[in-house]
Amino acid sequence: MAQDSAGAFHVGLTARRVVDAALELTEESHLLGWSVRDLAKRLGVAPSVVYHHVGGRDLLARHVVERVLADLAPPPADLEWREWFRTLLLSIRPLVTRCPGVAKWLLMHGPAFPAIIPVIDAGVAALQRAGFGERTGVAYAALLNNALLTITVGDDRVLHEVDGPRDHATMMSEFQAAGASSPGVAVLTGSLMRPFAEGGPDADRRREAYYRFVVENTIAGLTVQLAPDVAAARPT
């Protein structure tokens, strides 16, 4: 009997179990690194069963992202806007780095599902209270996009690791050769390229430090942008 015909082979399989398995595959590889066929194999069913219970690849990815962000809550409303976004962005990183590709999906599609709407509303309100006015949307986008882009760059390395050792050796050889005649390349090779590419706990610590650097400097830049408006609004 063909596996994709109705029968006892998938009795008890639920949409939740399908998404659970998709989440596991994402944690092991990348949100864009597995197929419906891979997922069906993990579950021991035919691909048509996956489509029947949840849907196609795009819908599966959406469900995975929604599951990853299910526990994300807005920071306290009484926080000043800089501390509000600092708290939010530092809490997002461990959630999405656990599942490579989620940050990229959010950049491409936006967090337009019910569980995240309160976070968006609270963030926009924090910026409005701070006095960003018409620039609120741009400020919100800069904060979230810079953070998510930083995570995405690290995540996308996972998609290109088939030739990992060879590619790493070739890349480092090229950078070292260029660094011999370029002080700029030598600095980047020593402080970023080599420690990030070599992986391990030290690379993880450096990625987190770089992420914090991006978050803090985005906040600092927006503070400078806001300063003239705040000064103009003060009573003379």
Side-chain angles (χ1 to χ4, degrees), residues 42-223:
R42 171 66 61 96
L43 291 165
V45 300
S48 59
V49 177
V50 172
Y51 283 101
H52 171 74
H53 281 283
V54 177
R57 184 67 176 74
D58 292 342
L59 190 56
L60 283 162
R62 179 185 177 87
H63 282 301
V64 168
V65 174
E66 195 164 4
R67 180 75 66 81
V68 168
L69 297 179
D71 295 330
L72 183 67
D78 59 350
L79 290 179
E80 188 261 353
W81 75 271
R82 284 167 290 200
E83 189 58 30
W84 194 97
F85 276 95
R86 185 178 290 114
T87 301
L88 176 72
L89 296 176
L90 294 182
S91 68
I92 284 176
R93 184 180 183 274
L95 294 177
V96 299
T97 53
R98 181 171 64 91
C99 296
V102 167
K104 187 170 190 174
W105 190 97
L106 288 167
L107 283 169
M108 295 171 62
H109 301 280
F113 36 84
I116 302 302
I117 298 301
V119 178
I120 297 173
D121 289 343
V124 167
L127 293 172
Q128 289 173 332
R129 288 194 302 271
F132 278 91
E134 294 181 353
R135 293 176 295 176
T136 294
V138 174
Y140 187 93
L143 286 157
L144 269 294
N145 288 350
N146 284 357
L148 292 173
L149 277 168
T150 302
I151 296 171
T152 296
V153 170
D155 285 353
D156 280 359
R157 290 184 180 276
V158 178
L159 290 176
H160 305 285
E161 287 184 345
V162 175
D163 297 322
R166 186 187 70 187
D167 286 350
H168 174 257
T170 300
M171 180 181 71
M172 293 311 305
S173 176
E174 291 172 349
F175 274 111
Q176 287 167 353
S181 58
S182 167
V185 172
V187 168
L188 292 177
T189 301
S191 63
L192 287 175
M193 304 302 180
R194 182 183 295 111
F196 278 24
E198 287 175 350
D202 184 55
D204 291 339
R205 286 191 294 270
R206 287 174 181 264
R207 288 193 184 96
E208 181 178 2
Y210 179 68
Y211 179 80
R212 288 176 176 269
F213 178 85
V214 170
V215 168
E216 292 297 337
N217 279 276
T218 304
I219 291 172
L222 288 171
T223 301

